[in-house]
Amino acid sequence: MTRFFRFGALVATTALAGLSGAAMAAPNPFASPSTLPLQAPRFDVIHDSDYKPAFLQAMAIQKGEMRRIANNHAAPTFDNTIAAMERSGRMLDRVSLTFYGVYQANTNPTLDKTQSDIAPLLSQHQDSIYLDAKLFKRVETLYNDRAHLDLTPEQAQVLTLYYQQFVHAGAKLSPADQVRLRALNTQISTLETAFQQKLLAATRDGALVVDNKAALAGLDDGSITAFAKNAADRKLPGKWVIPLQNTTQQPDLTDMTDRATREALFKQSWTRAEKGDANDTRATIATLAHARAQKAALFGYPDFASYVLYDQMADTPAAVQHFIAELAPATRTQQDREAARIQETIRKDGQTFTLQPWDWMHYAEQVRKQDYALDENQVKPYFELNTVLRDGVFFAATQLYGITFKQRTDIPVYNPDMMVFEVFDKDGSTLGLMYFDYFKRDNKNGGAWMSNFVGQSRLLGTKPVIYNVANFAKPAAGQPDLISFEDVVTMFHEFGHALHGLFANQTYPMVSGTQVARDFVEFPSQFNEHWALDPTVFAHYARHYKTGAAMPQALVDKIKKAATFNRGYNMGELIAAAQLDMAWHALPASAPQQDVDAFEKAALDKTGLNTALVPTRYRTSYFLHIWSNGYSAGYYAYLWTQMLADDSFAWFREHGGLTRENGQHFRDLILSQGHTQDYGPMFRAFYGKAPDITPMLNHRILGTDPN
């Protein structure tokens, strides 16, 4: 998963009226640009208590900037209106990008309180900008006269996007509807924050506590030691604590041989946010879904999905449903085949029970070993995290794009586990900075993501400062950082997002880098995953952590062959989640608030998939993507962009694979374009035709094309 916080000059930024002069006068580390390289955040001087006053001061500054633009007596021009708005909010960008980077990955009660206090204020003042009639009048005047303004293509795109966003934010609503919209936006923002905080606490508290070491049979000594440390950290001596990942299925289910423990861990995951306690998210979700539907109705849309998809590549809910419908039948067929094979394995194991969701991962691994002779414990010694990063992720980027990397130990970080690298372009010039925060913590949200501390813009003279975050298990002291191949793929995925940000080459922040639609933004990351198994790249990083020996070819072949297994499961849990998301956001405003569990069951029953055995990747009650991270009516984007990624990799293979020429072609036509063009023409310029679902079906479902 990837999270993007789009705090450009206007997007998701706000300002606050009525701030006292004393508060504005207070010194703050965000008041001026950082003096570190590329304006990297001053984590050496920033304190948790600095964020809230910085937000308030920054919002007040931007409020004044916007007022001056709106009240300008000169006729509107692109420079005095659009470019002026792009230049505004610099302090707000600094504090927003830094705060949300830390808040998502290293939160604490002070940051939680700051988020609760600030979220509704950000929402309110975003409204004060987009609903400013004088400001919109200037934008609308320029938009209506755009054919005569002699704009560059990028300027024309920025002007169009500003106009569309103003309209989509309510600029053309009646005064009464604007009042209602402001109230709904505040309510929605507050609910989203409440959901996120409840879920983080529920996930932390939902960790499985084990009293008997025998119940951990099958797990390796390193994991058991880590779980004992988790328990000690929680003041539970003599016990073991297994933390939950953000997904329904949990990685440790693969190795656990004790079925009762597997069931207990699965059910802790499934019910983490449904305990009927203060962290139960269901009431929050029911209210939030209803509020979103009401907001869509204000704009004349039948549902929130229609409201959201207006600027996406897919365009309409009907197009999304048609796309998913093309995937579901083949996926169901694969699920049934896989379930039958797993049930057979259970029987051969001397067991008589019927396959349940908590058995799938464990026995799928047995099938993998039997049919493909692959044992993850044989594989992990060849995947040491730092070697994968430097000799795999970085190596592929160098081969494709000519960029190089140098670790920086003089750049302050918010957690000592982090690494920072300076990135150099093919001509030796500095391209940007990259932070990596890979290890799981109790105060870190689940999953993996990328975002910026500093965005690229020629107008502002800034270069990208980017971070990748993941949740890999941290090894015990003195132990190697060995990861699974799934973790390897995650590293390539998130770095694909980073490349999209690093190669940003735009003048205006609004269209720079990863500031693109949800169903396009995952395209570069899904594409970059393919290089994890490219023979040249794989041979360069898959080396034994003790001896440095390359992985034996027989084991490499097993990994590639095993990649064709469990395709029905992997695709099915994604499709179910996408359908669940679309169902929630297809509710009309006239529908009453829903019983969350009943609605979820009905929605999943309609998928045509075997959701009893292949549960949705995220249940409604812990679906962070759609209730707090901006992917509402957009989770399908992961599937849509898999199609774009698989098409693109097919193009690479047809044109010679891992070459600088091919990499430059992809960089020039996709990675460096930001949102300077519409997505369909941009993709066709690279691929030569419209997206084609065939490579995706072959690669992701049918298993006929493992790489």
Side-chain angles (χ1 to χ4, degrees), residues 557-580:
D557 293 341
K558 290 177 183 178
I559 290 175
K560 292 185 176 183
K561 186 178 179 183
T564 66
F565 181 70
N566 229 27
R567 292 297 175 96
Y569 190 101
N570 295 336
M571 184 60 68
E573 63 172 0
L574 287 174
I575 293 175
Q579 291 279 41
L580 186 59

Side-chain angles (χ1 to χ4, degrees), residues 157-168:
Q157 176 80 336
V158 170
L159 172 58
T160 298
L161 293 175
Y162 262 100
Y163 176 77
Q164 291 175 344
Q165 289 191 6
F166 266 89
V167 172
H168 203 64

Side-chain angles (χ1 to χ4, degrees), residues 221-533:
D221 291 341
S223 295
I224 293 173
T225 299
F227 297 155
K229 184 179 184 303
N230 292 341
D233 291 343
R234 298 187 185 207
K235 307 294 191 271
L236 295 171
K239 299 181 186 297
W240 294 262
V241 171
I242 305 175
L244 297 180
Q245 300 290 329
N246 63 322
T247 53
T248 295
Q249 289 286 8
Q250 300 297 299
D252 295 303
L253 292 169
T254 300
D255 295 323
M256 284 180 174
T257 57
D258 188 283
R259 190 168 189 243
T261 308
R262 290 202 305 270
E263 181 177 2
L265 180 58
F266 179 89
K267 289 183 174 178
Q268 282 294 100
S269 174
W270 188 249
T271 64
R272 71 183 75 180
E274 298 196 359
K275 305 290 189 185
D277 57 8
N279 296 325
D280 193 308
T281 61
R282 287 173 290 185
T284 302
I285 288 165
T287 306
L288 178 55
H290 187 62
R292 286 176 174 173
Q294 290 178 304
K295 177 176 177 176
L298 279 179
F299 290 86
Y301 288 97
D303 49 57
F304 195 70
S306 299
Y307 171 79
V308 165
L309 291 171
Y310 87 100
D311 64 345
Q312 302 296 297
M313 190 175 180
D315 192 44
T316 66
V320 173
Q321 294 290 3
H322 175 75
F323 166 67
I324 292 176
E326 291 188 275
L327 301 174
T331 300
R332 176 59 190 260
T333 299
Q334 285 294 105
Q335 287 178 341
D336 291 346
R337 289 172 181 163
E338 292 164 10
R341 180 69 181 88
I342 290 172
Q343 189 67 62
E344 177 188 359
T345 301
I346 292 172
R347 181 183 59 79
K348 288 182 177 180
D349 194 37
Q351 305 296 328
T352 59
F353 60 79
T354 301
L355 173 65
Q356 296 294 329
W358 48 86
D359 301 314
W360 189 295
M361 304 308 293
H362 178 71
Y363 282 96
E365 181 63 15
Q366 306 311 307
V367 171
R368 192 190 304 273
K369 290 177 181 178
Q370 293 167 17
D371 292 2
Y372 308 100
L374 181 67
D375 184 342
E376 280 292 337
N377 291 324
Q378 292 180 308
V379 169
K380 281 187 175 181
Y382 292 91
F383 299 140
E384 193 277 324
L385 186 149
N386 286 284
T387 303
V388 172
L389 179 63
R390 295 169 187 267
D391 295 341
V393 174
F394 289 173
F395 173 76
T398 300
Q399 298 304 301
L400 287 166
Y401 311 112
I403 60 176
T404 54
F405 307 83
K406 178 182 179 181
Q407 187 164 6
R408 297 286 299 261
T409 58
D410 58 329
I411 306 292
V413 294
Y414 60 75
N415 186 281
D417 289 337
M418 297 174 71
M419 298 180 288
V420 183
F421 290 82
E422 187 171 0
V423 186
F424 299 94
D425 210 343
K426 54 185 180 292
D427 62 0
S429 62
T430 296
L431 190 63
L433 288 177
M434 270 298 311
Y435 293 64
F436 297 92
D437 179 7
Y438 279 139
F439 296 125
K440 181 173 178 58
R441 295 183 290 274
D442 275 351
N443 65 342
K444 178 190 280 190
N445 278 331
W449 60 93
M450 165 271 180
S451 195
N452 287 59
F453 286 132
V454 180
Q456 179 274 338
S457 167
R458 289 197 296 271
L459 179 74
L460 305 177
T462 54
K463 291 187 176 184
V465 178
I466 294 172
Y467 55 88
N468 279 176
V469 181
N471 272 275
F472 303 153
K474 186 176 181 179
Q479 297 300 308
D481 296 339
L482 303 183
I483 59 177
S484 67
F485 184 66
E486 182 179 357
D487 294 337
V488 171
V489 173
T490 295
M491 291 172 68
F492 276 85
H493 176 104
E494 297 306 334
F495 197 71
H497 285 302
L499 290 169
H500 198 187
L502 285 167
F503 292 147
N505 188 30
Q506 281 67 59
T507 297
Y508 300 99
M510 171 172 273
V511 294
S512 177
T514 56
Q515 301 284 67
V516 296
R518 286 184 304 268
D519 60 6
F520 199 81
V521 78
E522 294 294 333
F523 164 29
S525 57
Q526 306 267 21
F527 168 74
N528 206 54
E529 290 181 16
H530 282 281
W531 300 112
L533 272 177

Side-chain angles (χ1 to χ4, degrees), residues 24-25 185 357 390 526 629:
M24 290 187 65
N185 283 343
R390 295 169 187 267
Q526 306 267 21
N629 281 342

